[in-house]
């Protein structure tokens, strides 16, 4: 089989594939015009077989591929004929699928740690049916950061203001040192962002890092808006983050790119959550040991964003902060996690302490107070 591009990083010896029957031509004949011999030969080539009592249905047998030395776009399969049946593909484009490997998203979300979960091969065959074990899945609780907290700059429920994520990496977490040769990533997971397009009743909802006037609209992140990891850009960091700080003399590592996902919903609790990501380049990630003012010190980091604050109690778990190494052998494992809790308890506007703010008099319809620099002062 010859492919239209290199399959060096796509297929490997022993992979099992099948071919789609529809593009296959036998002696120039399309599927609807095949003879019984044509259909038999095409099914042998494709790695599928017809059911004798129902020829409209097939079962998968598959073809094990062997890479061809010196040709990165060719494989052989263990099937042949004494005489060429005259196989071709419509428009020289056959369709194929691999069946012995599966690929998931980078993150698998679980509510608790669990070992020895059985992963099975299955198919939607008149209902989901499982046929064989594919392996096991172990979900582990990641090591904890030295500390993690969410510093609110307002006590008022429903207010949009800067929020400070402060966290410290553990001095004993040497995985930060082993990850320096590859890219690393930090994830901020907001655990309850509410269900609305704007103010949605969540506990902490990220907002774009842009300015808006007294009469302007808050730059909410649309629930379906996202920047995928493939489209991560450094400019996206400026869209999300107001300030990045570290106690390390070298400062907060310069992000290589950022991206964010749409709003998701936990099936178990029905709460909506959202994730923001920072990617760091090789030799430029977070550390587990820092130098502050020339002295060895534990590493501390702060990230400032705009966010809407909801009904929150002091100590409420508002966000998770995860670190991972993208280019390591165990890229799917979290280096450390910080369960970031609120430092304040919020209150409604009616219950707010008058001492937490000021009241402007003589404001206009936009609640703007105009000061006259030329007005004479009546104070002695």
């Amino acid at each position: 089989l010859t492919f239209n591009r290199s399959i060096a990083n796509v297929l490997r010896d022993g992979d099992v594939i099948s071919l789609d029957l529809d593009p296959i031509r036998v002696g120039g004949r399309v599927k609807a015009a095949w003879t019984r011999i044509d259909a038999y030969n095409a099914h042998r080539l494709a790695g599928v077989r017809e059911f004798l009592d129902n020829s409209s249905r097939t079962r998968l047998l598959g073809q094990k591929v062997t890479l061809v030395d010196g040709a990165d776009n060719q494989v052989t399969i263990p099937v042949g004929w004494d005489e060429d049946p005259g196989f071709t593909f419509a428009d020289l484009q056959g369709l194929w699928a691999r069946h012995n490997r599966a690929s998931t998203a980078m993150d698998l979300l679980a509510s608790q740690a669990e070992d020895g979960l059985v992963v099975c091969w299955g198919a939607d065959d008149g209902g989901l049916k499982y046929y064989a074990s594919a392996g096991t899945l172990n979900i582990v609780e990641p090591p904890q950061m030295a500390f993690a907290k969410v510093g609110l700059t307002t006590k008022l429920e429903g207010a949009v203001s800067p929020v400070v994520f402060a966290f410290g990496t553990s001095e004993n977490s040497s995985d930060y040192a082993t990850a320096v040769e590859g890219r690393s990533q930090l994830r901020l997971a907001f655990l309850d962002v509410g269900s609305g397009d704007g103010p949605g009743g969540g506990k902490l909802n990220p907002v774009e890092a842009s300015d808006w006037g007294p009469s302007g609209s808050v730059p909410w992140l649309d629930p379906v808006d996202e920047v995928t990891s493939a489209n991560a850009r450094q400019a996206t960091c400026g869209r999300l983050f107001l300030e990045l700080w570290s106690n390390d003399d070298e400062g907060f590592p310069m992000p290589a790119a950022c991206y964010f996902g749409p709003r998701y919903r936990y099936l178990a609790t029905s709460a909506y959550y959202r994730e923001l990501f920072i990617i760091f380049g090789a030799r430029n990630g977070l550390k587990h040991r820092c130098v502050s003012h020339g002295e060895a010190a534990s590493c501390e980091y702060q990230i400032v964003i705009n966010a809407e604050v909801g009904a929150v109690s002091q100590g409420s778990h508002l966000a998770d902060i995860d670190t991972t190494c993208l280019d390591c052998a165990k890229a799917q494992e979290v280096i450390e996690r910080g369960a970031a809790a609120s430092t304040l308890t919020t209150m409604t506007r009616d219950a707010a302490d008058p001492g937490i703010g000021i009241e402007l008099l003589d404001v206009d319809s936009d609640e703007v107070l105009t000061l006259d620099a030329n007005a004479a002062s009546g104070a002695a």
Side-chain angles (χ1 to χ4, degrees):
L1 299 177
T2 300
F3 297 82
N4 62 359
R5 62 174 63 96
S6 173
I7 44 88
N9 296 319
V10 179
L11 291 176
R12 60 191 181 196
D13 285 337
D15 278 349
V16 178
I17 68 170
S18 66
L19 305 182
D20 191 298
L21 291 168
D22 289 336
I24 297 177
R25 303 290 183 261
V26 185
R29 294 179 288 276
V30 300
K31 182 179 177 182
W34 286 345
T35 66
R36 289 304 303 161
I37 294 298
D38 290 341
Y40 173 73
N41 287 331
H43 282 82
R44 285 189 66 202
L45 174 69
V48 296
R49 293 291 187 273
E50 292 178 305
F51 284 98
L52 294 179
D53 60 342
N54 186 353
S55 61
S56 65
R57 297 185 61 198
T58 60
R59 66 185 188 276
L60 173 68
L61 296 181
Q63 303 283 21
K64 276 193 174 183
V65 305
T66 301
L67 303 181
V68 176
D69 291 339
D72 64 0
N73 67 332
Q74 291 184 337
V75 300
T76 61
I77 56 176
V79 62
W81 291 263
D82 293 333
E83 296 182 5
D84 181 7
F87 293 124
T88 56
F89 293 103
D91 300 323
L92 297 178
Q93 294 183 13
L95 301 176
W96 62 279
R98 183 181 59 205
H99 299 280
N100 62 306
R101 284 191 278 161
S103 177
T104 70
M106 180 178 291
D107 295 324
L108 294 176
L109 184 64
S111 59
Q112 63 186 35
E114 195 74 45
D115 289 338
L117 299 175
V118 179
V119 180
C120 295
W121 292 110
D124 189 0
D125 185 10
L128 195 59
K129 298 178 182 178
Y130 300 101
Y131 295 102
S133 173
T136 58
L137 173 66
N138 296 326
I139 300 174
V140 299
E141 191 69 35
Q144 295 299 302
M145 289 182 170
F147 70 91
K149 55 187 176 181
V150 181
L152 306 181
T153 61
T154 180
K155 287 186 175 182
L156 188 62
E157 292 179 18
V160 176
S161 68
V163 173
V164 182
F165 288 84
F167 61 95
T169 54
S170 299
E171 291 186 17
N172 297 327
S173 185
S174 59
D175 285 343
Y176 290 104
T178 59
V180 295
E181 298 301 330
R183 296 171 304 143
S184 57
Q185 178 175 272
L186 183 142
R187 180 186 77 122
L188 288 178
F190 295 77
L191 304 182
D192 184 357
V193 298
S195 58
D197 294 343
K203 293 182 178 179
L204 196 65
N205 185 16
V207 175
E208 288 193 21
S210 57
D211 297 326
W212 64 95
S215 59
S217 59
V218 176
W220 305 104
L221 287 174
D222 190 277
V224 298
D225 191 12
E226 67 174 322
V227 173
T228 64
S229 58
N231 294 314
R233 298 290 185 272
Q234 195 175 63
T236 306
C237 303
R239 180 182 173 186
L240 299 175
F241 302 108
L242 293 171
E243 186 177 350
L244 305 171
W245 175 89
S246 173
N247 68 330
D248 188 52
D249 286 348
E250 294 184 348
F252 196 99
M254 176 66 71
C258 296
Y259 65 102
F260 63 94
R263 188 185 64 189
Y264 294 103
R265 185 167 68 92
Y266 291 105
L267 292 179
T269 64
S270 297
Y272 289 85
Y273 70 97
R274 194 159 203 162
E275 300 167 311
L276 313 182
F277 300 87
I278 301 176
I279 298 176
F280 302 102
R283 296 182 174 273
N284 189 44
L286 303 180
K287 304 176 181 179
H288 66 299
R289 293 176 182 172
C290 290
V291 176
S292 180
H293 303 289
E295 301 290 338
S298 300
C299 297
E300 298 180 8
Y301 298 96
Q302 293 183 9
I303 298 174
V304 184
I305 67 166
N306 282 330
E308 178 204 18
V309 180
V312 172
S313 299
Q314 185 175 2
S316 296
H317 182 191
L318 300 181
D320 283 332
I321 305 172
D322 296 347
T323 53
T324 53
C325 174
L326 298 179
D327 298 324
C328 296
K330 296 182 178 180
Q332 73 277 18
E333 293 187 4
V334 174
I335 297 175
E336 282 190 312
R337 168 171 293 168
S342 172
T343 58
L344 296 176
T345 296
T346 58
M347 59 186 72
T348 64
R349 184 176 295 274
D350 292 340
D353 181 354
I356 67 172
I358 61 174
E359 180 182 1
L360 296 178
L361 303 178
D362 300 326
V363 297
D364 60 20
S365 59
D366 291 327
E367 297 187 353
V368 173
L369 175 62
T370 302
L371 301 179
D372 187 352
N374 298 318
S377 173

